[in-house]
Amino acid sequence: DLILRGGVSLFASVDWPSAGQWSEYYRSLRIEQQFPSLMGLGFVAYLPSGQLAEFQRQMRDRGEGLFVLHPAGFRREYAPILYLVPTTSANRVEIGYDMYAEAMRQSTMRAAAETGTTRMSAPVTLAMDAGQARPMPATLLFAPVYRSQLPPVGLGERRDSLRGWVYAPISL
């Protein structure tokens, strides 16, 4: 929870951290040595459907390249993985994965956002493991990120100011 809260603080201090800043934050924590069950540290953006195209343009303009959402399709809301470090081939597969496309992930993320607290999912199959004969069981820990530096007080404020979630996949 403390590692995720530190990531939330990074979003409060820097309007929108770059991929490089996110990597530096991760490296400074020495997570791989201190918490070997954490498979990474990521950020998931919250996007109502009308904001997806603008978000993709902003990513390109920031020099982050073409941002492709998967699975493809129209939904009312999206929650794509934007950053996930360390940068491994398995983690690269996760970038752009819309966590809101899966009901259990979505319900855990909504619970975190609506309560303003960190929430843990039930065991999941990670996108990188989809289709494998023996996927590695994992759980996901989510901490909400809001537009304001202080956590919003009421449910309506939390919903209106949601930017996304800092998250960590944890091997079981």
Side-chain angles (χ1 to χ4, degrees):
D1 185 52
L2 288 175
I3 291 169
L4 271 62
R5 290 283 161 205
V8 170
S9 294
L10 178 60
F11 273 86
S13 63
V14 176
D15 182 44
W16 195 275
S18 68
Q21 289 168 316
W22 189 254
S23 268
E24 275 304 308
Y25 171 67
Y26 174 82
R27 275 196 295 279
S28 72
L29 296 173
R30 298 181 27 236
I31 288 174
E32 292 169 330
Q33 294 83 22
Q34 297 190 39
F35 304 100
S37 64
L38 282 180
M39 300 165 69
L41 186 66
F43 176 73
V44 177
Y46 171 74
L47 301 168
S49 64
Q51 294 178 8
L52 179 60
E54 176 63 17
F55 178 79
Q56 289 171 314
R57 186 194 61 75
Q58 288 173 356
M59 293 297 295
R60 188 182 63 240
D61 291 352
R62 280 191 207 123
E64 303 280 343
L66 180 63
F67 186 78
V68 178
L69 184 79
H70 59 94
F74 179 80
R75 292 178 280 285
R76 284 185 42 227
E77 300 165 298
Y78 301 99
I81 298 172
L82 179 59
Y83 301 138
L84 182 57
V85 288
T87 305
T88 63
S89 58
N91 283 350
R92 276 189 218 104
V93 170
E94 299 273 339
I95 302 299
Y97 177 72
D98 180 13
M99 290 209 195
Y100 260 28
E102 198 273 310
M104 195 278 302
R105 283 175 169 88
Q106 185 179 130
S107 97
T108 304
M109 296 164 77
R110 280 191 191 282
E114 290 178 358
T115 62
T117 61
T118 301
R119 292 295 171 105
M120 183 176 282
S121 74
V124 298
T125 298
L126 300 175
M128 69 178 89
D129 292 340
Q132 290 186 9
R134 298 187 65 194
M136 181 186 312
T139 188
L140 303 171
L141 192 62
F142 296 98
V145 175
Y146 302 104
R147 284 184 183 82
S148 56
Q149 289 188 352
L150 296 174
V153 177
L155 178 59
E157 280 184 52
R158 285 191 287 272
R159 285 181 177 159
D160 291 344
S161 67
L162 182 64
R163 295 178 75 185
W165 299 263
V166 172
Y167 89 105
I170 303 167
S171 62
L172 297 177

